[in-house]
Amino acid sequence: MLSSSTRQGHIMVVDDDNEIRDILRMLLSSENFKVTEAAAPSAALSLMSRDIDLVILDVTMPEMSGYDLCQQIREISNVPILFLTAKSGNSDLMMGYAAGGDDYLAKPFAYPELIARVKGLLRRYIVYQGRHTPKPKEDFLTYGDLRIDCVHNYVWKNSQPIELTDTEYRILKLLVTYPGQLFTAQYIYETVWEEDFLPNSTNTVMVFIRKIREKIEDDPKKPAILVTVWGRGYKIV
């Protein structure tokens, strides 16, 4: 968990292609990241630990798909997951986000883009974990049956804990902080992802909104907490 001040973080690279793993190891090591490699999903699962800060995950592997592995990782960890894929179609991206991924990088990738995405995910994860950040003005946010611990980044509904990824947490916290205020998909994306809004970013936000509803709504198909104002955006009501 970024326990050493002399390294940037601990990254697991999961890819059945030895050459890709070698390239990623060299590039990441040059930036002072600790790198653990896994050539198969089963190996990746056995190597998952609290010391892992980020997973770079290939989509296409013979043992199981990266999407399936991502879902299994999500059962035990909220660590950021960056998909590495030769597929960059809209449906492929949505599958990755729906599986619990946080971002994607298309092959072939450029060194600056790889490092920028890795550092961006790690920076947001540090904020999500509550490390190296000033104490918020409010320790807790409460809205209806929802309660958010802004110090330790926990969420409860009706006193029952809700497991959220760091991206899901940041979106929910943004909306709950300003109940009744309408947020466009562009504002949510640029605030949470800290990247420029792109044509497919609306779909990305939509997928994450749906995943949040599955966790906080009594009936996700008829949301009563996080609602859509069609053509305009989202808000907490």
Side-chain angles (χ1 to χ4, degrees):
M1 283 193 163
L2 303 183
S3 57
S4 171
S5 60
T6 61
R7 65 177 175 85
Q8 297 295 316
H10 186 178
I11 300 173
M12 180 190 294
V13 175
V14 188
D15 198 309
D16 61 315
D17 188 319
N18 294 337
E19 184 177 353
I20 293 293
R21 292 201 315 278
D22 288 343
I23 291 172
L24 288 170
R25 184 187 67 252
M26 289 187 291
L27 294 178
L28 295 169
S29 297
S30 71
E31 293 287 333
N32 208 27
F33 290 107
K34 178 181 178 181
V35 180
T36 293
E37 298 177 53
S42 57
L45 289 171
S46 67
L47 291 169
M48 277 300 302
S49 70
R50 291 178 57 84
D51 187 50
I52 300 294
D53 299 306
L54 183 145
V55 176
I56 297 179
L57 179 57
D58 185 34
V59 168
T60 306
M61 290 180 286
E63 192 175 277
M64 73 170 71
S65 74
Y67 303 137
D68 292 335
L69 176 57
C70 180
Q71 290 179 323
Q72 293 196 31
I73 292 175
R74 279 287 167 258
E75 293 178 2
I76 58 175
S77 175
N78 285 323
V79 67
I81 295 177
L82 172 64
F83 277 111
L84 193 63
T85 174
K87 303 176 180 180
S88 57
N90 223 29
S91 60
D92 299 303
L93 302 184
M94 293 307 102
M95 287 179 64
Y97 290 133
D102 296 282
D103 205 349
Y104 75 96
L105 186 63
K107 300 177 185 176
F109 53 84
Y111 168 75
E113 185 178 12
L114 167 70
I115 300 303
R117 290 185 180 275
V118 165
K119 289 185 176 180
L121 285 169
L122 285 173
R123 182 175 63 252
R124 297 197 295 270
Y125 187 53
I126 291 171
V127 172
Y128 170 65
Q129 295 294 335
R131 291 167 281 169
H132 311 305
T133 57
K135 186 175 181 180
K137 294 181 180 179
E138 294 184 73
D139 289 348
F140 291 91
L141 290 172
T142 303
Y143 189 79
D145 296 330
L146 292 176
R147 184 172 173 83
I148 299 177
D149 182 339
C150 300
V151 177
H152 303 98
N153 305 102
Y154 298 135
V155 179
W156 298 268
K157 181 182 180 184
N158 295 323
S159 302
Q160 297 300 312
I162 299 174
E163 291 293 329
L164 298 174
T165 67
D166 62 315
T167 304
E168 293 164 358
Y169 172 83
R170 283 164 60 85
I171 293 173
L172 181 62
K173 182 182 176 184
L174 171 66
L175 297 175
V176 172
T177 300
Y178 303 96
Q181 182 169 328
L182 182 68
F183 289 93
T184 65
Q186 179 172 351
Y187 184 90
I188 293 172
Y189 187 85
E190 292 181 346
T191 301
V192 173
W193 277 263
E194 299 177 12
E195 296 178 359
D196 291 336
F197 190 75
L198 300 173
N200 64 358
S201 299
T202 297
N203 289 336
T204 299
V205 173
M206 181 178 63
V207 170
F208 277 90
I209 291 292
R210 184 173 70 238
K211 290 174 68 64
I212 294 170
R213 283 176 176 152
E214 290 172 353
K215 298 179 180 182
I216 69 170
E217 298 280 2
D218 292 331
D219 184 354
K221 294 182 179 180
K222 297 179 180 179
I225 302 172
L226 202 176
V227 302
T228 301
V229 179
W230 293 108
R232 297 181 61 193
Y234 307 92
K235 66 179 180 178
I236 294 287
V237 297

